[in-house]
Amino acid sequence: MTQPAALTFGALDIDTLAEVTGRIGVIVDEDAKLDIGARRINKLMRGALKGFVESDAFAKMNAGEVRVLHAPLGLIAEAVIVLRLPKRPESGTARKAGAALAKIRGKGAMTVLTAGRTRIEDLALGIALRGYAFTDHKSDPEAGPEGAVHMVVSAPEAAEAAYADKLAQAEGVFFTRDLVNAPANVLTTTKFADDLAALSVHGLDVDVMEEAELEDLGMGSLLCVGQGSDSPSKVVVMKWMGGEKDTAPLALVGKGVVFDTGGISLKPAAGMEDMTMDMGGAGVVAGVMKTLALRKARANVVGLVGLVENMPSGNATRPGDVVTSMKGDTIEVINTDAEGRLVLADVLWYAQETFKPAAVIDLATLTGAIIIGLGHDNAGVFSNDDRFCADLLKAAASENEGAWRMPLGSSYDALLKSRIADMKNIGGRPAGSITAAQFLQRFIKEGTPWAHIDIAGVASISKGTDLSPAGATGWGVRTLDRLVADVYETKD
Ligand code: BES
Ligand code: MN
Ligand code: ZN
């Protein structure tokens, strides 16, 4: 499991600066004034730091940007990294600044002189999140974990306490990224369920339901997806009951297709390898649950994931097959590649029947069409409840995770009409993401606030973002953790 870089906090001891190894981060404001630590560094460097911060090069730097001064004279450190940051940065700026440090810090240790800045915990979160690297399958030991980070601050204990909740977020995000990056021969449904069961060490109550139990429950929709695979289908329920005893929980439901070949409606070969990330929704649910447990959130939240593999075989579901969902509605499977909604239908229904949740959010890499609509910058959000949706979008905005509301409507729903069953599993090419959402809404009970988040475009991307390297991003862990903190947590 990938862990965030070890990060410690301590007070300034200017007499040790000459001996600090690795890299030293120095924070300077737009007024180019050096604080006491930076002044000592400057003295040891015989004025080279001051020379730089009074140069045009520094004047042209934006808030949150970094420049490296290599092989600094008078220091043992291999480099001084100058970071430009205002005295009271916004949380987003502080995180981006931390990420900028992480990007260029190299493998060695890093000491950051934070010069009285506020939001040190956000700076540290940025360092942690952007420092992620998925090295499980690299044989080069150089690919190993990064060196420790030491933050020099005026109030070490307060900074450490403020960072605790952020570290919980970072660990949740790392868990999600590890799961989403894992290849499908490694992360089978069984391995995935085992990894989730292991979360019980953090105080989560985890229950793994096997195929026989799912059959007894009548989950014909979910089970038809995994039918062609040698890996057994499973539903895993993770409970965190940190809130008031009788408060209805928030339910988080995730699509966990460990590999999506398309089934008999086989996908084209080019790019099919990307479908290892088709369990991204389940990965986010798992990451959020881990974060909530690590920071002992005072809220009731249940996470449910449907784990299946969509493979073609002599036993696979055929186009034209009719299956019966746990709800009782029958579904004509026109396209076996529209499998995510078949999985979610049963897990959504089970979640509502079992937990009578206050609200339901599902996350899924559900449609290619959402990527055509929104690209890789925004997840698509669908909801039957304006207030609930506004809370969710606000949480996403606070965390700088792109989210954009999409419409629902009965005219879209009409596209799912089947001649022989209660519905078809696809609505045709137009509005493909919306008809997918309409399909899901058929499995949401009247009066239950619900949001569906299509994360196909944001779960894993080929270029790095501000806070994530290329590959799995962990999009949504911070948004949902924030939503829980803002709306569902018991306050004193
Ligand atoms: N897992 C895919 C959606 C997807 C596409 C996720 C690209 C990430 C990147 C989903 O199961 C799927 O195959 N959807 C089909 C639906 C269609 C058959 C109605 C699609 O989007 O083409
Ligand atoms: Mn598919
Ligand atoms: Zn899929």
Side-chain angles (χ1 to χ4, degrees):
M1 209 183 319
T2 315
Q3 284 294 326
L7 204 137
T8 52
F9 298 89
L12 178 65
D13 179 356
I14 52 171
D15 293 329
T16 59
L17 291 176
E19 271 79 53
V20 168
T21 55
R23 298 184 175 215
I24 304 180
V26 174
I27 301 184
V28 188
D29 206 344
E30 45 267 11
D31 63 9
K33 264 215 200 105
L34 302 181
D35 81 313
I36 171 167
R39 283 205 301 275
R40 172 60 67 96
I41 299 271
N42 181 55
K43 195 171 154 201
L44 291 163
M45 289 175 75
R46 309 220 187 121
L49 180 59
K50 190 150 187 286
F52 175 71
V53 299
E54 286 174 354
S55 71
D56 269 2
F58 180 79
K60 283 189 190 131
M61 278 167 68
N62 294 315
E65 270 186 358
V66 294
R67 286 288 183 286
V68 186
L69 310 179
H70 291 284
L73 185 79
L75 298 174
I76 288 181
E78 65 192 62
V80 168
I81 307 172
V82 178
L83 167 61
R84 183 166 170 167
L85 196 67
K87 291 263 168 338
R88 303 186 153 274
E90 302 209 330
S91 62
T93 309
R95 291 175 187 187
K96 272 188 218 168
L101 283 175
K103 249 193 263 185
I104 53 136
R105 60 170 284 204
K107 283 277 168 197
M110 178 166 71
T111 300
V112 185
L113 308 181
T114 61
R117 292 298 180 280
T118 57
R119 300 202 183 276
I120 299 300
E121 66 278 15
D122 288 300
L123 187 74
L125 178 63
I127 294 174
L129 290 176
R130 194 59 176 75
Y132 175 88
F134 183 64
T135 57
D136 283 14
H137 306 287
K138 294 278 194 191
S139 42
D140 181 358
E142 280 290 291
E146 295 179 318
V149 179
H150 186 63
M151 309 283 280
V152 176
V153 297
S154 41
E157 275 169 30
E160 191 166 351
Y163 182 55
D165 281 0
K166 306 291 179 194
L167 177 61
Q169 271 194 354
E171 288 190 50
V173 170
F174 275 39
F175 186 43
T176 302
R177 289 178 183 171
D178 278 356
L179 289 167
V180 174
N181 280 326
N185 61 331
V186 173
L187 192 76
T188 59
T189 54
T190 301
K191 172 68 162 56
F192 201 158
D194 288 349
D195 286 355
L196 298 182
L199 287 176
S200 59
V201 300
H202 302 298
L204 285 163
D205 182 355
V206 185
D207 183 28
V208 180
M209 295 194 281
E210 304 292 346
E211 272 179 4
E213 198 173 338
L214 305 180
E215 257 164 51
D216 289 347
L217 286 163
M219 293 197 184
S221 181
L222 179 144
L223 285 167
C224 88
V225 177
Q227 196 174 295
S229 170
D230 287 347
S231 295
S233 300
K234 294 168 197 276
V235 170
V236 181
V237 181
M238 295 159 271
K239 273 186 269 184
W240 177 255
M241 293 296 180
E244 305 284 344
K245 198 165 161 282
D246 296 321
T247 309
L250 169 68
L252 305 176
V253 173
K255 166 179 172 180
V257 177
V258 295
F259 196 78
D260 180 14
T261 64
I264 297 298
S265 312
L266 194 63
K267 284 183 182 295
M272 201 203 276
E273 69 279 6
D274 290 343
M275 286 302 115
T276 54
M277 54 73 102
D278 209 21
M279 33 54 68
V284 174
V285 171
V288 181
M289 296 310 294
K290 179 167 179 175
T291 294
L292 295 175
L294 286 175
R295 68 174 186 82
K296 307 224 175 321
R298 293 166 69 179
N300 296 336
V301 182
V302 288
L304 301 98
V305 295
L307 307 181
V308 303
E309 185 178 42
N310 189 18
M311 295 286 267
S313 91
N315 188 40
T317 296
R318 291 158 288 255
D321 283 2
V322 174
V323 297
T324 304
S325 64
M326 179 181 172
K327 181 187 172 191
D329 288 358
T330 58
I331 304 160
E332 185 186 7
V333 181
I334 301 294
N335 189 320
T336 64
D337 197 13
E339 85 296 340
R341 61 199 77 181
L342 297 174
V343 174
L344 290 173
D346 279 339
V347 185
L348 284 168
W349 194 255
Y350 175 82
Q352 293 164 91
E353 289 277 276
T354 312
F355 298 107
K356 312 271 178 286
V360 179
I361 300 175
D362 76 74
L363 296 110
T365 50
L366 203 64
T367 66
I370 203 70
I371 309 175
I372 303 303
L374 299 176
H376 301 286
D377 300 313
N378 283 284
V381 178
F382 303 79
S383 182
N384 62 357
D385 185 307
D386 291 347
R387 252 201 66 185
F388 178 58
C389 190
D391 286 342
L392 175 60
L393 293 175
K394 185 164 165 259
S398 308
E399 292 295 328
N400 289 318
E401 291 191 308
W404 196 261
R405 190 169 181 182
M406 302 284 289
L408 291 164
S410 56
S411 55
Y412 297 110
D413 196 69
L415 300 170
L416 297 171
K417 209 167 149 49
S418 161
R419 182 176 58 83
I420 62 167
D422 297 336
M423 70 192 86
K424 300 189 292 193
N425 77 327
I426 57 167
R429 267 172 69 81
S433 303
I434 309 177
T435 51
Q438 289 298 155
F439 182 95
L440 299 179
Q441 192 175 15
R442 289 176 174 232
F443 297 89
I444 298 298
K445 295 186 179 187
E446 192 67 43
T448 302
W450 159 73
H452 155 58
I453 313 181
D454 194 334
I455 58 170
V458 296
S460 180
I461 53 188
S462 56
K463 271 206 269 171
T465 65
D466 282 342
L467 298 181
S468 170
T473 61
W475 187 102
V477 172
R478 288 184 291 119
T479 291
L480 295 179
D481 179 52
R482 181 70 169 247
L483 178 73
V484 170
D486 287 352
V487 182
Y488 294 94
E489 241 173 304
T490 317
K491 310 277 185 320
D492 284 318

